[in-house]
Amino acid sequence: MSAPAMDRTLINGFEHRDDGSNLRNQAVALLAGQELPTTRDEEYKYTPLNRLNEVAWVPGPAMQPELADWINHLLPEVEQYRVVFVNGKYDASLSNYSDLDIAFLRDGHPVELGQLATANESSFEVAAHLGRLSKPAMPLTAAVNTSAFSDGAIIRVDRKLSKPIHVAHIATGKNATSAPRTLIVAEPGADATVVETYLSDGETLSLPVTEVFVHTNAALEHIRLGNEDLLARHIGLVEVRQERDSTYRSYNIVFGASLTRNDINILVAGENAHTRFDGVIALDGDQHADNHTRLDHTVPHCESFEIYKHLLAGKSRGVFNGKIFVHQDAQKTDAKQTNMTLLLSPHAQIDTKPQLEIFADDVKCTHGATIGQLRKDALFYLRSRGIDEATAQGLLVYAFAAEVFELIQDESLRRALEQMLLAKLGTS
Amino acid sequence: MLEIQNLHARVEEKPILKGVNLTINPGEVHAIMGPNGSGKSTLANVIAGRDDYEVTEGTVLFEGEDLLELAVDERAVRGLFLAFQYPVEIPGVSNAYFLRSALNACRKASGQPELDALKFMALVKDKAKSLGLDSSMLQRSVNEGFSGGEKKRNEIFQMAVLEPKLAVLDETDSGLDIDALKVVADGVNALRGRDRGFLIVTHYQRLLDHIVPDFVHVMADGRLVKSGGKDLALELEQKGYSWIEEQFAGKA
């Protein structure tokens, strides 16, 4: 009996660029014999990606949208260095990063290396970073991205920046696919905030991959905002590597898209590193978001703190899988993971799976998950001061999630995210 | 302004209030004292509208209106205030946002214009200071990480801002050291006036050294069993509650 014909609709919906580089070759070879994961795959149990084959995807065409149509989604109230890509192609007219040196990938190749690259050394080895963390052999989606990406930002910082760098990816066009690629390198002495925003105006599919290097004594705040159209699909991968004495803070925010699957993998490779990785996932209607995080503590004396908060209304469904591996050498690790969910409707659903695997014997690790409704005593307290029931509920729902934003350093950015959260909750 | 007649209330199946009668007129400060478990806090919470309690009999009128028919927030915007025995921590909601929302709800109900953030801050900063609260607390989450004394002062601060017609203080003195007690008492005394009533629920007489009541009532086994002037509080302090309990417990 012959196997059923392989369904490669999604894979064929991307423009693959077999340019002969090692990176592409590996990815293309890997894709040759692969299909999208089904529910039989434990890692995709609640979010079978093979259903993405039901849409006739096409490579996102070259487009030049008007700034006026998108500016409201580009954090206009935040002073920022802005770099915008449309369907995976750099758009100079929407970008504005004046006094910052940013390098780019163009058609898959690094170009336009700025002064940062030449200040202390002859060249910055993009090849030494690009594709190093996101091995194409890991999730299939990484292979699709690696085979198909064209343009991307190479953010390299070695000092304290006074305003956030905002990398925005706009997906536009019916059934358009895009493969955004971003490389972030925080060099020693860096102290920066990078915001990635994902936007769409319809039924689009984005498969972004972001690789993040946080070198010795660097601090990076990394905000990833999924704010696409409610018809969009988003399958994202973030790979992070932290060195000694580094600080990495990740905020994974999901408001948009009908289907989201994010994998955020953090490798802590140097001692005395601090990691904070949080999520705010607010869904309504039929939205489905599946967030997988994995953190590997491989060395001693590191601490990590993770909190994921879901606010689920309508018939929405959240999936959370948080793995923390404490390897044998990672003594004195202090790791805490929490997943809290508010179910705002009887039809909303959460599947949560915290997972701690500890191979060292002198560590402090906790994890926990709570699922519930609003606190009755808090509701009574607010109402006893004259705040009506609906307003009090809204305030508590908002507060439940907004707490996560409190650590965000840039005040205008924090406010903008809070406003977006309020707007999202207002429609649910 | 408050007329309570034959009020009975229970928690689940257990009767707590067994026929309370009490009238508070504008300008009066009433204190209710009594042993633990006598029903003092229950009375305060039933007046405020906490739904853990079921009223089985009796009436409560507030300015002639049936209070028991009103929702918690409806009672508050009509000028009723409860200072909590255990103020609630609400992470993620700043004191400023919370209190401005509350004040504007009350102002809206009485036909006054709402205050914007600037006017609100101007109004509250001095009041916070007079209660020994640093105005930076306004940007902090409601009661989060506050000490016991700060929480109680925050209750009185909220009262000072909302300017209720009737304030019910539920064991506001518990857990306060003498300095904090004085601050709280000063806050209450500053609000005393012809049009405002107070109901102060307390286990100990010491708060009443600083907030001198017009009337003192003793509660035992769900009823007010004895009423008098401020001297009654001193008598209770000297003699304890056992004679009251012996005299009235189980006499139903």
Side-chain angles (χ1 to χ4, degrees):
Chain A
M1 203 169 71
S2 63
M6 201 173 277
D7 189 340
R8 293 172 56 85
T9 309
L10 179 136
I11 293 171
N12 293 335
F14 285 82
E15 183 186 347
H16 299 278
R17 299 160 195 272
D18 194 356
D19 57 13
S21 69
N22 277 342
L23 198 61
R24 301 274 203 210
N25 281 348
Q26 286 172 21
V28 171
L30 187 101
L31 286 175
Q34 293 288 327
E35 280 189 288
L36 295 173
T38 68
T39 51
R40 289 189 302 277
D41 185 329
E42 178 67 24
E43 291 298 304
Y44 292 88
K45 191 173 167 188
Y46 301 104
T47 311
L49 294 187
N50 59 332
R51 287 207 200 127
L52 288 169
N53 284 326
E54 290 164 12
V55 177
W57 302 107
V58 293
M63 304 278 264
Q64 284 199 307
E66 294 293 321
L67 181 62
D69 294 338
W70 291 95
I71 188 68
N72 286 338
H73 301 285
L74 295 172
L75 307 169
E77 54 287 269
V78 179
E79 266 200 70
Q80 59 186 279
Y81 303 107
R82 188 170 63 228
V83 189
V84 182
F85 297 84
V86 179
N87 286 346
K89 288 281 186 188
Y90 173 61
D91 188 313
S93 69
L94 300 181
S95 302
N96 181 2
Y97 55 95
S98 56
D99 54 332
L100 187 74
D101 291 307
I102 291 182
F104 286 93
L105 294 165
R106 285 288 177 82
D107 296 325
H109 298 289
V111 292
E112 293 183 19
L113 290 180
Q115 287 173 1
L116 267 185
T118 53
N120 303 312
E121 65 210 337
S122 55
S123 69
F124 168 65
E125 290 287 329
V126 173
H129 292 84
L130 189 70
R132 276 272 304 279
L133 297 182
S134 106
K135 300 277 185 291
M138 300 233 318
L140 185 75
T141 47
V144 175
N145 178 286
T146 302
S147 160
F149 77 82
S150 169
D151 297 1
I154 302 173
I155 309 282
R156 188 162 173 253
V157 184
D158 64 356
R159 61 193 155 100
K160 184 173 170 59
L161 293 183
S162 60
K163 50 188 181 182
I165 300 171
H166 183 194
V167 181
H169 288 280
I170 296 171
T172 178
K174 187 166 169 51
N175 298 347
T177 64
S178 58
R181 185 77 174 214
T182 307
L183 175 61
I184 303 170
V185 183
E187 298 284 2
D191 183 359
T193 297
V194 176
V195 185
E196 287 184 74
T197 298
Y198 291 91
L199 300 167
S200 145
D201 61 0
E203 191 166 11
T204 57
L205 169 65
S206 291
L207 257 72
V209 170
T210 303
E211 291 171 283
V212 181
F213 292 82
V214 191
H215 286 297
T216 303
N217 204 26
L220 180 71
E221 185 177 68
H222 182 199
I223 294 160
R224 202 175 180 287
L225 173 63
N227 207 13
E228 288 133 315
D229 185 272
L230 291 176
L231 292 172
R233 272 78 148 191
H234 180 109
I235 315 294
L237 172 68
V238 179
E239 293 280 353
V240 183
R241 181 184 166 101
Q242 275 188 266
E243 307 297 342
R244 193 183 181 99
D245 297 319
S246 67
T247 299
Y248 176 69
R249 286 194 304 276
S250 155
Y251 298 86
N252 175 18
I253 303 164
V254 181
F255 295 154
S258 65
L259 174 72
T260 299
R261 162 69 188 232
N262 285 322
D263 283 86
I264 297 179
N265 301 319
I266 302 169
L267 175 68
V268 182
E271 290 187 30
N272 195 33
H274 300 262
T275 314
R276 168 124 195 173
F277 52 130
D278 296 346
V280 173
I281 291 93
L283 308 175
D284 53 28
D286 290 319
Q287 286 184 280
H288 178 127
D290 181 338
N291 288 280
H292 274 53
T293 66
R294 173 181 173 139
L295 183 135
D296 283 81
H297 279 292
T298 64
V299 293
H301 301 291
C302 291
E303 59 174 38
S304 66
F305 187 92
E306 175 179 30
I307 185 161
Y308 264 68
K309 293 199 171 184
H310 286 78
L311 302 112
L312 304 177
K315 290 188 284 181
S316 65
R317 187 171 182 192
V319 182
F320 174 73
N321 182 307
K323 297 188 188 76
I324 294 181
F325 288 85
V326 181
H327 294 247
Q328 201 172 350
D329 289 341
Q331 300 294 0
K332 306 284 182 190
T333 291
D334 186 352
K336 186 171 185 197
Q337 180 197 74
T338 312
N339 170 228
M340 296 165 85
T341 301
L342 272 185
L343 293 176
L344 302 170
S345 121
H347 307 294
Q349 189 182 337
I350 178 84
D351 294 286
T352 177
K353 188 178 174 190
Q355 231 176 308
L356 264 181
E357 297 196 21
I358 302 170
F359 303 98
D361 54 15
D362 183 13
V363 298
K364 201 168 98 189
C365 296
T366 62
H367 68 120
T370 63
I371 298 165
Q373 283 89 34
L374 293 173
R375 275 169 53 210
K376 216 177 134 196
D377 63 339
L379 205 52
F380 177 68
Y381 191 68
L382 294 174
R383 293 184 68 197
S384 79
R385 299 298 182 248
I387 299 171
D388 67 74
E389 187 172 14
T391 306
Q393 281 177 349
L395 198 53
L396 290 177
V397 170
Y398 165 77
F400 170 80
E403 195 190 6
V404 173
F405 297 150
E406 279 177 6
L407 286 177
I408 289 177
Q409 292 189 318
D410 186 283
E411 195 180 334
S412 62
L413 178 58
R414 188 170 64 242
R415 290 236 172 96
L417 293 171
E418 288 168 355
Q419 287 307 314
M420 260 182 239
L421 175 63
L422 278 175
K424 175 69 186 179
L425 296 174
T427 61
S428 61
Chain B
M1 65 184 355
L2 186 75
E3 291 168 66
I4 302 174
Q5 284 191 338
N6 192 33
L7 183 65
H8 289 66
R10 63 184 182 189
V11 174
E12 285 159 6
E13 292 305 306
K14 190 179 177 220
I16 310 277
L17 300 183
K18 302 172 182 174
V20 174
N21 295 291
L22 176 67
T23 298
I24 299 178
N25 295 306
E28 293 177 354
V29 176
H30 291 246
I32 293 186
M33 302 181 69
N36 290 328
S38 60
K40 307 186 299 286
S41 280
T42 298
L43 177 62
N45 280 284
V46 166
I47 293 171
R50 194 189 282 274
D51 64 5
D52 299 339
Y53 306 96
E54 186 193 350
V55 173
T56 51
E57 211 181 323
T59 57
V60 182
L61 298 181
F62 182 57
E63 297 197 306
E65 198 173 6
D66 183 355
L67 198 64
L68 301 177
E69 286 297 308
L70 298 174
V72 181
D73 46 285
E74 292 170 334
R75 299 179 195 198
V77 298
R78 279 166 176 74
L80 188 70
F81 181 93
L82 173 68
F84 281 54
Q85 183 177 5
Y86 303 108
V88 180
E89 295 190 12
I90 309 181
V93 178
S94 74
N95 281 290
Y97 190 86
F98 160 57
L99 194 50
R100 186 157 73 92
S101 301
L103 179 62
N104 280 336
C106 293
R107 288 177 68 94
K108 204 171 154 190
S110 63
Q112 294 172 272
E114 297 187 21
L115 292 183
D116 63 25
L118 280 177
K119 285 185 181 146
F120 171 78
M121 288 309 280
L123 175 80
V124 299
K125 272 190 172 162
D126 285 344
K127 293 195 175 177
K129 203 173 161 192
S130 71
L131 286 158
L133 291 166
D134 191 305
S135 62
S136 68
M137 65 76 86
L138 287 162
Q139 304 309 329
R140 288 165 60 194
S141 292
V142 175
N143 291 323
E144 193 187 25
F146 283 29
S147 69
E150 280 176 318
K151 283 180 183 172
K152 295 298 178 77
R153 277 183 280 154
N154 193 17
E155 295 293 289
I156 302 305
F157 167 58
Q158 293 170 28
M159 180 175 80
V161 172
L162 297 175
E163 298 184 324
K165 292 174 184 162
L166 176 67
V168 181
L169 277 60
D170 184 10
E171 308 222 9
T172 297
D173 52 331
S174 66
L176 291 187
D177 62 29
I178 189 67
D179 294 330
L181 191 76
K182 272 188 183 148
V183 172
V184 163
D186 289 348
V188 172
N189 287 330
L191 283 175
R192 286 179 78 157
R194 254 182 334 131
D195 303 324
R196 189 165 288 132
F198 286 90
L199 179 60
I200 296 169
V201 171
T202 179
H203 187 78
Y204 301 103
Q205 182 266 340
R206 61 174 194 160
L207 178 65
L208 305 180
D209 285 342
H210 302 280
I211 307 171
V212 180
D214 300 306
F215 302 93
V216 174
H217 312 274
V218 182
M219 188 167 238
D221 194 31
R223 281 185 214 84
L224 299 181
V225 294
K226 195 169 170 62
S227 297
K230 61 180 198 260
D231 295 340
L232 179 57
L234 292 170
E235 190 183 341
L236 286 167
E237 185 73 3
Q238 281 159 11
K239 294 164 72 177
Y241 288 117
S242 54
W243 62 280
I244 298 273
E245 285 178 304
E246 277 162 26
Q247 204 174 337
F248 295 98
K251 203 180 148 187

